Amino acid sequence: MDIYKLYVNTLFKPASICDEIRSFSLSRQNILEGTVFVACLSALLNSVMEKFVFGSTEKVNEIFSNNSGIFLFNPFAAFLLELLFIFVLIVTIFNFGNLSRNKRDIEEVGKLVAWVCFVALSFKLAQLVVAASSTNFYLIFRVLEMIWFVWALSSVVCVIYGYKSVIMTAVTGLIVVSFVMVVFMIVILAMMQSFINNGSMNV
């Protein structure tokens, strides 16, 4: 198995990697461990990038003073959100099978999603390098990451479920995942804001 070739194919021809990734013999525990590893690396890279983008932790605290939004800049919270995002992706793509004749098991979908998320870390590395030197082009790489990620996952979904339109799959998936994540974010931020307000009242 040529990992480098698989990595390059994922970057440029994600639809071609489905059979190879699905052939990996991995247990649910292995997939869970891989997902946690990817979420941890992603949160770590994001945390380091924030130091360059915002300049310092103190500046972040000043911007989000007395606001629940500062919770999102906590490395552990970032890790949990990344993990939640990956799990939402897996469940959403798995449920796409209800609209197709091709049924896939959760392990198969989990392997594909975890691998695509791992390859997407290369964009975060590029963002880190750019953010460390100049923040002017940071957002360009961020947008490229988002476009590639949606395209790659949509291409994979089309292959495993036999869908014809990558664009329609991308739009549908983006709407569903965004809606679910927004709901989770609202609940989490509301809980944090309530905690902050109660803490302030008790002082």
Side-chain angles (χ1 to χ4, degrees):
M1 178 178 59
D2 191 339
I3 294 296
Y4 175 75
K5 183 179 179 181
L6 180 62
Y7 190 90
V8 172
N9 285 341
T10 306
L11 282 174
F12 299 102
K13 298 183 295 181
S16 67
I17 62 142
C18 295
D19 289 337
E20 191 167 355
I21 295 296
R22 277 155 40 192
S23 68
F24 292 170
S25 180
L26 298 173
S27 65
R28 286 195 178 187
Q29 182 177 348
N30 295 143
I31 297 171
L32 177 60
E33 291 169 350
T35 301
V36 171
F37 175 74
V38 171
C40 186
L41 277 182
S42 181
L44 179 62
L45 289 172
N46 285 335
S47 180
V48 174
M49 276 190 291
E50 286 158 10
K51 304 298 181 183
F52 294 109
V53 174
F54 289 98
S56 66
T57 303
E58 289 73 19
K59 189 172 182 179
V60 173
N61 292 334
E62 181 181 346
I63 294 174
F64 294 95
S65 178
N66 296 324
N67 191 299
S68 58
I70 196 171
F71 167 76
L72 302 178
F73 290 87
N74 182 289
F76 182 70
F79 161 72
L80 292 179
L81 288 175
E82 288 287 345
L83 195 60
L84 174 63
F85 176 67
I86 296 174
F87 281 128
V88 168
L89 283 176
I90 293 174
V91 172
T92 300
I93 293 175
F94 176 71
N95 286 324
F96 266 41
N98 296 328
L99 305 175
S100 170
R101 296 178 180 177
N102 301 327
K103 302 302 179 182
R104 307 296 181 183
D105 56 46
I106 194 72
E107 290 86 355
E108 187 176 350
V109 174
K111 286 186 289 186
L112 286 165
V113 172
W115 173 254
V116 172
C117 289
F118 174 74
V119 175
L121 292 178
S122 58
F123 287 90
K124 292 190 182 295
L125 285 173
Q127 292 171 45
L128 177 59
V129 172
V130 173
S133 56
S134 172
T135 58
N136 294 331
F137 298 100
Y138 164 78
L139 289 178
I140 295 178
F141 282 91
R142 178 62 177 165
V143 171
L144 287 176
E145 177 195 1
M146 294 172 63
I147 293 174
W148 177 86
F149 191 71
V150 172
W151 167 66
L153 277 181
S154 300
S155 298
V156 167
V157 171
C158 284
V159 171
I160 64 176
Y161 289 126
Y163 298 147
K164 295 181 179 180
S165 175
V166 174
I167 295 178
M168 285 300 297
T169 303
V171 171
T172 304
L174 194 59
I175 292 174
V176 174
V177 172
S178 298
F179 175 77
V180 174
M181 287 303 297
V182 166
V183 170
F184 274 117
M185 290 292 292
I186 291 175
V187 172
I188 292 172
L189 291 177
M191 291 174 61
M192 290 305 302
Q193 189 66 48
S194 176
F195 176 78
I196 292 173
N197 291 338
N198 289 338
S200 300
M201 292 175 63
N202 292 331
V203 175

